[in-house]
Amino acid sequence: MTSSLHYQRHDALLVVDMQRDFCEGGALAINGGSALVPGINAEIATALNAGASVVASRDWHPVDHISFTHRGGPWPVHCVQDTPGAAFHPDLTLPDEVIRVSKATAFNADAYSAFDGTGLGDYLREKGIKRVVVCGLALDVCVHATVLEACREGFTTLLLATLSAAVDPDAIERCCNEMQDAGAGVRA
């Protein structure tokens, strides 16, 4: 499986939250999550071969994170730091040059976007990145927030919808429309 997307040095592929807990068998499993891995691996290889940057974000929650239901949040316990569920999917190919970004690391604050509290926007600008290509999990939560923030940060932004899956498939159309309204391209 190869990508038909043409990457350049001023591009960054942003792979959002491809973690065990978000894939089948995980604490907050998204239907179809594991099936995305081969396509995302091909996208990573294509981007790196073209000299583009690749960033992989992950939820990296402390044990008692505010987003967990027992703390009044909307989500079950998931992606707790240093647990197997927080690890990237075992079949996801992340060479050493892939930049890893951890988000939602504070006890009292949640972060859905890979840009939220991570310094990612400034880092990408320092590297001369102009376009951000986004894929991963979940299209209607963290991918959605990351795409919207990438647009607000001033990057040309493209969502790879076929390499993303949603918690609620019924929300895909609404989320894609919101991303397009914010200026992002959506590649189905």
Side-chain angles (χ1 to χ4, degrees):
M1 181 179 287
T2 58
S3 169
S4 60
L5 193 61
H6 180 70
Y7 287 91
Q8 298 179 351
R9 292 192 181 281
H10 65 268
D11 294 332
L13 172 64
L14 181 45
V15 178
V16 177
D17 299 0
M18 287 300 299
Q19 295 167 268
R20 288 181 181 209
D21 269 349
F22 294 133
C23 294
E24 290 80 359
L28 189 48
I30 296 158
N31 190 29
S34 293
L36 300 174
V37 173
I40 291 174
N41 283 342
E43 208 67 32
I44 290 169
T46 299
L48 290 175
N49 287 337
S53 296
V54 177
V55 176
S57 73
R58 64 182 178 178
D59 269 4
W60 196 246
H61 298 312
V63 172
D64 214 17
H65 192 253
I66 196 165
S67 72
F68 299 160
T69 52
H70 72 269
R71 293 266 330 263
W75 307 111
V77 174
H78 66 282
C79 297
V80 174
Q81 297 170 3
D82 297 316
T83 64
F88 288 109
H89 189 285
D91 297 329
L92 188 67
T93 303
L94 295 176
D96 290 343
E97 63 266 37
V98 172
I99 299 148
R100 285 116 172 120
V101 173
S102 299
K103 60 186 178 63
T105 60
F107 286 100
N108 61 349
D110 206 358
Y112 293 106
S113 167
F115 292 90
D116 191 358
T118 64
L120 182 59
D122 290 338
Y123 174 78
L124 294 176
R125 277 188 288 279
E126 287 171 13
K127 290 195 50 102
I129 300 300
K130 304 290 183 207
R131 181 176 71 157
V132 175
V133 179
V134 183
C135 62
L137 298 172
L139 187 146
D140 54 335
V141 187
C142 293
V143 169
H144 180 249
T146 298
V147 166
L148 294 178
E149 189 64 26
C151 291
R152 282 191 292 271
E153 290 271 351
F155 297 103
T156 299
T157 308
L158 176 65
L159 168 68
L160 300 179
T162 58
L163 294 180
S164 303
V167 174
D168 177 8
D170 291 336
I172 293 173
E173 183 177 353
R174 175 188 54 78
C175 287
C176 286
N177 287 339
E178 288 175 6
M179 289 184 265
Q180 287 174 316
D181 289 347
V186 175
R187 187 171 183 160

